[in-house]
Amino acid sequence: MQFDDDADLDTSEVQDVRGSRIPGGRATVGGGIAGLIALLIGLFFGVGPDQLGLSSGNDEPAANSSSLAQVQQTCRKGSDANAQEDCRMVAVVNSVQAFWTQEFARRSGTYTRSPTVFFSNQVGTACGAATSAVGPFYCPGDRKVYLDLGFFDDLRTKFGSSGGPFAQAYVVAHEYGHHVQDLMGTLGRSQDGVTGANSNSVKVELQADCYAGVWAHHATTTKDPSTGRALITSLTDADIRDGLDAAAAVGDDRIQEKFQGRVTPETWTHGSAQQRQQWFYQGYSSGDMARCNTFR
């Protein structure tokens, strides 16, 4: 996965609050067993931590933002994205949002851009307070994606993903799939409290995987508005395999087998490893969001 060295990165799409503290409260879930349970429940859940019981109940709705504090200084060009992980995530956010802006316009709609918030350890959101234990998530209350970059190490070491830059890009694109669902009015289907292999929660997650694949299909042809050239210049078969491997690694069956020693489909919220791979590849091979109807 390579970026145009000469492209200008748009750091306004990322709020960097790493090292900041949650204002007005604290997250109720920490590390250890509690954090692990939260991670198993919440990984890629796609909704805010209030839905997971992680809010302390008296937290302020927004992160204590030293906005762009780090990335604005270090992430200026595509060459920075090729060299640094946080800059790579800025570039992925830029590419994903450029694609969805163009796709919505092509369909006579309007895409509303969503910031990604880089945080460390814990963060306050419009959905409540959360710790890194819940993994990456999208908060519909403030329409922001939240990401602790340390999760990418966990994806590889704890969940057995092969890792790689595109595995990370898949994670970000999946969360923006939830933002697309929010704009289209389908995200709320996941919040009916029902779990299981055929639940709306699983269908919402699989659709977000499919939307991530749709972006990947168009990634090398989506033009950066500032240059008129594609921000992502190369996406190889090996990159796609890394994305598929990451999708499988966070399948409900894989996670349950690894951490609880048994598979319980009646508690699934995200889908199996095979389903997650299938729907990501459906989006990637077709490039058509209309092919992402998991609710049929």
Side-chain angles (χ1 to χ4, degrees):
M1 184 179 187
Q2 290 290 316
F3 301 90
D4 177 0
D5 282 337
D6 296 324
D8 292 323
L9 300 185
D10 182 0
T11 54
S12 70
E13 294 189 342
V14 173
Q15 296 173 349
D16 190 354
V17 300
R18 288 174 290 180
S20 299
R21 300 186 61 172
I22 298 177
R26 61 182 179 84
T28 59
V29 177
I33 297 298
L36 177 59
I37 292 172
L39 181 60
L40 296 183
I41 296 172
L43 186 68
F44 291 14
F45 198 70
V47 296
D50 57 331
Q51 299 293 324
L52 306 177
L54 306 186
S55 174
S56 66
N58 61 351
D59 296 297
E60 297 295 329
N64 181 15
S65 176
S66 54
S67 180
L68 313 181
Q70 297 181 50
V71 296
Q72 188 178 49
Q73 298 177 18
T74 60
C75 303
R76 298 179 180 275
K77 291 287 187 178
S79 56
D80 299 320
N82 285 323
Q84 298 175 219
E85 181 182 66
D86 53 359
C87 299
R88 181 164 62 244
M89 293 303 96
V90 172
V92 169
V93 169
N94 290 171
S95 174
V96 169
Q97 299 216 93
F99 167 69
W100 286 117
T101 297
Q102 295 166 27
E103 180 66 10
F104 270 56
R106 189 178 71 82
R107 295 172 174 270
S108 301
T110 301
Y111 176 79
T112 303
R113 295 198 171 217
S114 165
T116 285
V117 179
F118 291 167
F119 73 98
S120 55
N121 299 319
Q122 58 187 25
V123 68
T125 82
C127 298
T131 71
S132 301
V134 303
F137 64 92
Y138 172 73
C139 172
D142 54 27
R143 287 185 164 172
K144 294 180 181 180
V145 172
Y146 289 86
L147 176 64
D148 185 331
L149 297 180
F151 169 77
F152 295 134
D153 291 331
D154 291 339
L155 185 63
R156 181 175 48 83
T157 61
K158 294 181 181 179
F159 295 94
S161 168
S162 58
F166 190 76
Q168 299 173 355
Y170 154 74
V171 171
V172 174
H174 171 98
E175 296 307 330
Y176 275 95
H178 288 312
H179 179 55
V180 170
Q181 292 171 323
D182 194 15
L183 295 176
M184 297 181 68
T186 55
L187 181 61
R189 296 191 188 189
S190 69
Q191 299 176 38
D192 58 7
V194 179
T195 62
N198 294 314
S199 65
N200 281 338
S201 177
V202 166
K203 293 173 182 177
V204 162
E205 294 298 330
L206 296 178
Q207 186 176 62
D209 282 334
C210 188
Y211 286 164
V214 171
W215 160 74
H217 177 95
H218 296 280
T220 58
T221 57
T222 297
K223 294 182 179 180
D224 179 3
S226 67
T227 65
R229 303 188 304 270
L231 176 57
I232 297 177
T233 60
S234 174
L235 198 59
T236 67
D237 290 343
D239 290 323
I240 299 304
R241 285 195 297 271
D242 284 343
L244 288 166
D245 188 70
V250 291
D252 282 323
D253 52 342
R254 291 271 187 96
I255 292 175
Q256 289 179 340
E257 181 66 34
K258 185 176 183 65
F259 291 102
Q260 67 183 28
R262 66 187 187 282
V263 176
T264 53
E266 66 274 12
T267 64
W268 286 3
T269 57
H270 294 73
S272 69
Q274 186 274 332
Q275 287 176 309
R276 300 200 72 166
Q277 286 186 318
Q278 173 191 338
W279 281 101
F280 172 79
Y281 194 76
Q282 168 93 334
Y284 174 69
S285 60
S286 70
D288 183 1
M289 67 182 300
R291 299 286 298 277
C292 294
N293 185 3
T294 57
F295 295 94
R296 289 181 298 186

